[in-house]
Amino acid sequence: MKKVAVILAGCGRMDGSEIHESVLTLLSINQSNAHYQCFSLDLPQDHVTNHLTNETALESRNMLIESARIARGDVKPLEQLDLADFDALIIPGGNGTAYNLFTLASAGENYTVNQLVSEKCRAFSAANKPVGFICIAPVMIPVIYAPTTIKMTIGNDQNVAALVNSKGAEHHDCAVDEICVDLEHKVVSTPAYMLADNIGDAYRGISRLVQQVLALA
């Protein structure tokens, strides 16, 4: 049975991992007769959002503890992710991912990627193991893999496409149910809620990404 590591960034689209995207990723892995293990950074979130009002809350939460809500408690610190134990890696999106795993939401075009997240992605790729990026998460690709040019998508947002292209990626416009596959480097991406109007839309692209990632594993 193939095993997939999934990196989460908390719980909630505005301040952590997008819950629909995360759960659909886990569901799609399970439906493909594969096994998953969730991981997260054991660090404070950049901020906390009241998802009912979309207002910032004056409190602090930990990414690992919050990710346990999605993983039903079965989540490990990212430091414990052993490349030898897994066939592939997938990172769901969410606005919180762009705060917690990298800094696009706070630093704009000068964003950086968390060093440990970068190291894990590069390690999988160096071992010829596939990595999948969902929604906004593909924006990490050009920074993680620089100076290598990777084919990728975030959908059809021309401003974001221009940004990732300026950093050395090769962006391809995709519909919500499509995926972009860089066969040479085994990197797969899909727009999900960058374009999705509902959970069904997101599922179609995510399920295709998972199937492709597993096929490349």
Side-chain angles (χ1 to χ4, degrees):
M1 179 179 287
K2 293 178 180 178
K3 298 178 66 177
V4 183
V6 179
I7 298 178
L8 302 177
C11 180
R13 68 183 182 92
M14 296 303 296
D15 58 8
S17 290
E18 214 292 327
I19 297 173
H20 289 181
E21 292 177 358
S22 301
V23 173
L24 292 173
T25 297
L26 304 183
L27 173 64
S28 297
I29 294 169
N30 179 265
Q31 289 176 330
S32 299
N33 296 314
H35 174 77
Y36 61 80
Q37 175 63 55
C38 295
F39 294 88
S40 187
L41 296 170
D42 188 7
L43 294 170
Q45 295 178 182
D46 176 86
H47 66 282
V48 177
T49 299
N50 179 327
H51 282 72
L52 184 62
T53 64
N54 282 335
E55 295 176 349
T56 300
L58 299 178
E59 58 183 279
S60 177
R61 297 189 184 185
N62 175 281
M63 279 184 263
L64 182 65
I65 293 172
E66 291 301 296
S67 295
R69 296 175 181 269
I70 295 174
R72 293 177 62 85
D74 188 13
V75 60
K76 298 179 179 180
L78 188 55
E79 289 87 351
Q80 295 181 17
L81 171 51
D82 187 339
L83 174 68
D85 294 336
F86 295 91
D87 302 290
L89 172 66
I90 297 178
I91 306 178
N95 192 56
T97 298
Y99 278 105
N100 297 328
L101 300 189
F102 65 120
T103 61
L104 176 70
S106 57
E109 63 182 13
N110 297 315
Y111 68 93
T112 58
V113 179
N114 176 273
Q115 183 177 349
L116 185 58
V117 173
S118 289
E119 289 174 355
K120 296 300 182 182
C121 291
R122 288 196 298 267
F124 271 81
S125 295
N128 201 34
K129 296 181 178 183
V131 183
F133 296 85
I134 297 169
C135 188
I136 196 65
V139 176
M140 291 189 282
I141 289 172
V143 174
I144 289 172
Y145 295 105
T148 304
T149 297
I150 306 288
K151 298 175 183 177
M152 55 155 289
T153 190
I154 46 79
N156 57 24
D157 185 302
Q158 295 308 299
N159 290 331
V160 181
L163 174 60
V164 295
N165 284 338
S166 73
K167 291 186 176 294
E170 182 183 317
H171 185 270
H172 293 259
D173 284 359
C174 282
V176 67
D177 60 346
E178 294 179 328
I179 60 175
C180 180
V181 185
D182 188 311
L183 286 175
E184 179 182 357
H185 303 101
K186 292 190 175 182
V187 173
V188 187
S189 48
T190 193
Y193 273 106
M194 290 293 288
L195 292 176
D197 291 324
N198 54 63
I199 194 170
D201 284 348
Y203 174 69
R204 283 186 283 276
I206 290 171
S207 62
R208 288 187 65 185
L209 177 138
V210 169
Q211 291 168 18
Q212 183 64 63
V213 165
L214 289 171
L216 291 172

